[in-house]
Amino acid sequence: MTAQHILQFGQMLGLSCTELNANGDEQALPTTLITQALADFGFTDELDVKLEEEIKQFWLRALPPVIITDQSEMIQFDLHLPIEFVTEDLIWEVRLNQAVIETGEFTPIEWSLNGIYHLHDMEMQSYQISLEQPLAVGAYQLVILDQGSEEPLGESWIFNPPSVLTPTNAIKPTTVTALPTTDVVLSQLLTHAQSSLSTVAIDKTDALALSARLTQLQQQFNTEKEQDEFALTLSSITATAALYQLHLAQYLTAYAADGVTATRAETQTVEWQDANCDRYAFYLWLVVTANNAQPTDTLLRNVDFASGTANEDSFTAWLLADYQLAHCLLENTDGIVAKGINSYKLRQDNYAAFRALIDFTAMQSTGLVLNQPLSIMQQWLTMGDAGIWQNHEFNELLSIILLSCERHACACYYQADDELPAELMAYFDARGVQQLSLS
């Protein structure tokens, strides 16, 4: 595989494969460094074959995985089709929760030709399509169909985030309890017993001893109660843990596709938990709650793309790390292996896992905090004494976060410090992302 091919492969994965030399001229990074970065992404051998396969899949995919509209009146995308389809009258459909809400016809050859690619004996052509179709804030599916066929030629997700987040006030969760808990009942009994003691003519020393005994019995009962409840909970969780772990990735994908929009207050109720106890939504609620290290009065959760950060115990980091939804392994100079976000793989999967993660986290939180906001643009991959930048699709990732926060009335913050470019801070402020000072 030539150095040019290695460079091209790295650029496809979002790696910054060039740098400025001492004269200010752009030059390619050493191929050994790019090759090591590719290995961290799981590409260790037959790079020429894998590059060819990635290019092939790029052209065979009719639509990009994700389209961001940013509340514009146009849906713009590149369409890849075999040459025999470009003169056909095709159908486009915009769907919301599987239901068609807008549709129309178009002929690809009437639009601007972007490029041509020959795949064996088949010619693929790319056209830039623009559909004038304003959409409300939300997540949609775009489907391209041939006349008389139910099998789509291509499918993509459309994300239309708010131009500015709606301000929200932190509201403490409400809990509906079916029955009073044992400790409340015991407290009421103790209060009743103590009031009864005051009306009975007994020795003061005996009264104090009896009161102390009642308190001791209450503490002992509460301890045993907690131990019994913990044992039952642990037994229930371990009995189903293997099944949950096996299917969690599918649950995340299904959740993202299904568009569940329960509010945080609803998910805290006994009624919602009972109604959803057999669904993936309940399990996501369970793991979010169990892995919430944040104070219960604020429920701010961290979103961070940088590896080895201070919030590594957050729900986001825990889920991405344990279930390997889309990460690359990074080894620093001390030989410590960390996990970084592989946004290229996330994007190829329509950000399904990331959308489910952010959506459910926003549902369970009063606010999301973007730690190290620059990490959503780029991530430094350390390899030995050197390193390389991985570029993320910033607009796509931020749009998913803002859309989820808007849908679930969840505030969004970013950590502001002197290192952030003024232009980025101004952009966040304009989009309704609030500053959160480190001091």
Side-chain angles (χ1 to χ4, degrees), residues 397-414:
L397 293 171
L398 184 63
S399 295
I400 292 171
I401 293 172
L402 295 182
L403 176 58
S404 186
C405 287
E406 180 76 12
R407 292 170 71 183
H408 299 296
C410 177
C412 190
Y413 306 91
Y414 70 96

Side-chain angles (χ1 to χ4, degrees), residues 15-280:
L15 300 176
S16 294
C17 300
T18 60
E19 62 180 354
L20 298 179
N21 60 22
N23 297 324
D25 299 323
E26 192 175 47
Q27 65 181 21
L29 291 174
T31 55
T32 53
L33 185 61
I34 301 174
T35 302
Q36 178 59 49
L38 292 174
D40 289 335
F41 280 85
F43 299 101
T44 55
D45 53 14
E46 296 184 332
L47 295 182
D48 53 342
V49 176
K50 292 180 178 178
L51 170 60
E52 184 178 347
E53 180 62 25
E54 288 293 330
I55 296 175
K56 173 184 174 182
Q57 292 304 318
F58 170 79
W59 279 95
L60 287 178
R61 184 162 193 159
L63 291 172
V66 169
I67 299 169
I68 305 296
T69 60
D70 282 333
Q71 288 195 319
S72 68
E73 304 235 339
M74 304 292 291
I75 303 173
Q76 297 181 319
F77 55 91
D78 290 338
L79 180 64
H80 300 166
L81 291 172
I83 190 172
E84 57 265 27
F85 284 99
V86 301
T87 57
E88 298 287 330
D89 292 331
L90 304 181
I91 300 172
W92 60 268
E93 292 181 349
V94 174
R95 300 177 181 178
L96 178 61
N97 295 330
Q98 309 303 320
V100 178
I101 61 171
E102 298 291 347
T103 187
E105 294 185 4
F106 73 104
T107 305
I109 201 171
E110 296 176 356
W111 298 86
S112 175
L113 177 66
N114 281 336
I116 297 174
Y117 180 75
H118 292 278
L119 185 63
H120 302 301
D121 57 348
M122 179 171 61
E123 179 178 312
M124 301 292 295
Q125 294 189 354
S126 173
Y127 289 87
Q128 185 175 5
I129 311 294
S130 298
L131 303 176
E132 187 173 354
Q133 188 60 53
L135 297 172
V137 170
Y140 307 86
Q141 283 181 293
L142 174 65
V143 179
I144 305 298
L145 299 160
D146 191 15
Q147 297 277 3
S149 175
E150 296 183 358
E151 186 67 25
L153 293 173
E155 296 179 89
S156 179
W157 277 90
I158 301 176
F159 295 108
N160 189 23
S163 56
V164 181
L165 272 179
T166 302
T168 61
N169 295 320
I171 301 175
K172 289 189 176 182
T174 58
T175 303
V176 177
T177 306
L179 293 172
T181 57
T182 305
D183 53 344
V184 173
V185 175
L186 281 175
S187 177
Q188 294 171 347
L189 287 174
L190 179 61
T191 301
H192 177 72
Q194 289 173 333
S195 63
S196 299
L197 286 175
S198 63
T199 63
V200 179
I202 59 175
D203 183 80
K204 183 177 182 180
T205 303
D206 292 339
L208 291 174
L210 182 58
S211 178
R213 179 58 177 162
L214 283 172
T215 302
Q216 181 183 3
L217 286 172
Q218 180 191 28
Q219 293 174 344
Q220 180 180 352
F221 190 91
N222 284 345
T223 300
E224 293 177 352
K225 167 181 169 287
E226 291 175 359
Q227 291 176 343
D228 290 344
E229 289 180 348
F230 176 77
L232 289 172
T233 302
L234 184 62
S235 175
S236 175
I237 291 177
T238 54
T240 55
L243 177 65
Y244 283 148
Q245 291 182 10
L246 181 64
H247 295 293
L248 179 58
Q250 290 90 325
Y251 290 166
L252 289 170
T253 303
Y255 177 84
D258 200 36
V260 178
T261 56
T263 64
R264 184 182 195 286
E266 287 177 311
T267 62
Q268 300 300 305
T269 64
V270 171
E271 289 83 359
W272 183 89
Q273 295 164 22
D274 182 61
N276 292 275
C277 63
D278 293 327
R279 301 182 64 247
Y280 51 78

